[in-house]
Amino acid sequence: MTASSPRPDGGPRVVAVVVTHRPEVDATLALLDALVPQVARTVVVDNASGPDVVARLRGALDASGGEVVALDENRGIGAAQNVGIARARQLGATHVLLSDQDSRPAPDMVARLVDDLVAHPVAPDGRPVAAVGPVIVDPRNPGAILVFRARRWGPRRAVLPESGTRVDAVFLLASGCLLDLAALDVVGPMNEPWFIDHVDLEWGLRAGRAGYDVHAVAGAVLEHSLGDRTQRIPGRERDVHLHSPVRNYYMVRNTLLLVRSGLLPRAWRWGYRFWITKYAVFYVLCVAPRGVRTGRILRGLLDGARGRTGPAA
């Protein structure tokens, strides 16, 4: 039995929530082709991509009974996820699978995530499991998985275990994350005011503070391209994922908001200050258009220091 239909034993009923914003539609249609057979229903929440995009997405979902919720303005990733989660509840979901617009799940990804949740509802340390996620790989940067463990100075990439399926994580990237809605009721919704960047990290930290576990499942695989492109840096083992200037703004601002949130231990606060300094210097000196990026980064620093949230001005 997969997650594609309600389980007669009362097990999880999974509804997928896919958030889109001006997507490459063909890539999103490929995602839906891979995801729809794995879940009970699919809800696409579109952040103001326009009527032509919405029409193509609706056409792709009609046969499966899926639906598109079209927002009139770009409300950000957290708000769109919350809209989709609310709709999933109306559809009888017990669990929600979050997805970005350009990811590609393996054919058995959802089944593996569900099986892990059913088999291991409690972590080895006794904490209930709030969410599980796949091992995310970026096809442009082979050999590096996008799963992050807690280390002294902050989250760092995990390595696959030699045995078993559990991959310890401090948070899960949103794409491919399978959320238990009962845990979501305790931890709270996604952080809408942050708009984008660190929204998944912030929720994972809140889950940990509330006494829950999150982890990735070896064998459940998702391809996901992080950032707009990658760039090779001499002397660095892995490529750097590059973002647009507006994402520079959100990353800088929200990192400062994260440091001020009270969710980080002291060493992590220093670790994130050091990291965002390196991040800003790299973009200002090395990535065109440097003038535009400098302005965005300075604005992010100012707004982060002021505690400003919401969409970029």
Side-chain angles (χ1 to χ4, degrees), residues 248-264:
N248 293 156
Y249 165 82
Y250 287 117
M251 188 63 73
V252 170
R253 185 195 74 179
N254 288 359
T255 298
L256 294 186
L257 295 176
L258 181 67
V259 169
R260 300 175 58 188
S261 68
L263 292 169
L264 302 180

Side-chain angles (χ1 to χ4, degrees), residues 5-310:
S5 59
R7 295 192 171 204
D9 60 359
R13 173 178 168 85
V14 179
V15 172
V17 172
V18 181
V19 176
T20 58
H21 174 62
R22 299 178 182 174
E24 293 183 9
V25 178
D26 288 342
T28 303
L29 295 183
L31 160 68
L32 295 176
D33 284 343
L35 188 57
V36 164
Q38 300 190 50
V39 296
R41 295 283 290 275
T42 303
V43 177
V44 173
V45 182
D46 182 75
N47 261 323
S49 299
D52 292 342
V53 170
V54 169
R56 291 190 65 188
L57 296 174
R58 281 192 172 131
L61 289 172
D62 279 347
S64 68
E67 59 190 76
V68 179
V69 179
L71 304 180
D72 293 334
E73 61 180 348
N74 182 6
R75 294 174 53 189
I77 188 75
Q81 288 170 344
N82 287 336
V83 168
I85 289 168
R87 179 59 182 147
R89 290 183 188 276
Q90 294 173 346
L91 295 172
T94 60
H95 295 72
V96 166
L97 183 91
L98 300 177
S99 178
D100 290 346
Q101 63 195 24
D102 57 355
S103 299
R104 184 73 66 89
D108 61 350
M109 184 195 78
V110 178
R112 286 179 178 268
L113 295 178
V114 169
D115 288 346
D116 183 87
L117 266 179
V118 171
H120 307 289
V122 177
D125 62 4
R127 292 182 298 161
V129 176
V132 295
V135 171
I136 300 178
V137 294
D138 188 333
R140 304 165 304 177
N141 199 0
I145 64 172
L146 297 173
V147 179
F148 298 89
R149 293 193 65 181
R151 300 297 188 189
R152 180 179 180 183
W153 301 106
R156 298 293 184 269
R157 290 180 192 260
V159 297
L160 291 176
E162 294 183 1
S163 63
T165 61
R166 179 187 174 86
V167 186
D168 289 329
V170 66
F171 76 101
L172 299 169
L173 295 186
S175 199
C177 180
L178 182 66
L179 293 167
D180 184 334
L181 291 184
L184 191 76
D185 289 337
V186 177
V187 178
M190 301 301 155
N191 189 330
E192 297 188 15
W194 285 17
F195 200 78
I196 194 169
D197 286 320
H198 290 335
V199 172
D200 42 16
L201 169 58
E202 193 267 352
W203 191 89
L205 293 173
R206 275 193 282 130
R209 173 164 289 189
Y212 286 93
D213 170 82
V214 302
H215 64 268
V217 179
V221 178
L222 177 82
E223 288 189 359
H224 175 67
S225 296
L226 191 66
D228 300 319
R229 58 188 175 91
T230 60
Q231 179 172 313
R232 173 63 65 180
I233 304 297
R236 184 181 171 89
E237 180 182 357
R238 301 186 183 97
D239 293 353
V240 174
H241 298 90
L242 300 183
H243 292 95
S244 66
V246 71
R247 291 291 296 277
N248 293 156
Y249 165 82
Y250 287 117
M251 188 63 73
V252 170
R253 185 195 74 179
N254 288 359
T255 298
L256 294 186
L257 295 176
L258 181 67
V259 169
R260 300 175 58 188
S261 68
L263 292 169
L264 302 180
R266 183 177 182 182
W268 285 28
R269 293 197 297 271
W270 284 109
Y272 270 104
R273 290 185 182 108
F274 178 67
W275 176 82
I276 201 60
T277 300
K278 292 195 304 178
Y279 176 96
V281 169
F282 169 72
Y283 273 99
V284 167
L285 295 181
C286 302
V287 187
R290 292 190 291 272
V292 175
R293 292 185 187 278
T294 299
R296 290 287 191 175
I297 287 170
L298 289 175
R299 184 70 188 187
L301 290 170
L302 180 62
D303 286 350
R306 290 175 172 175
R308 183 186 180 277
T309 58

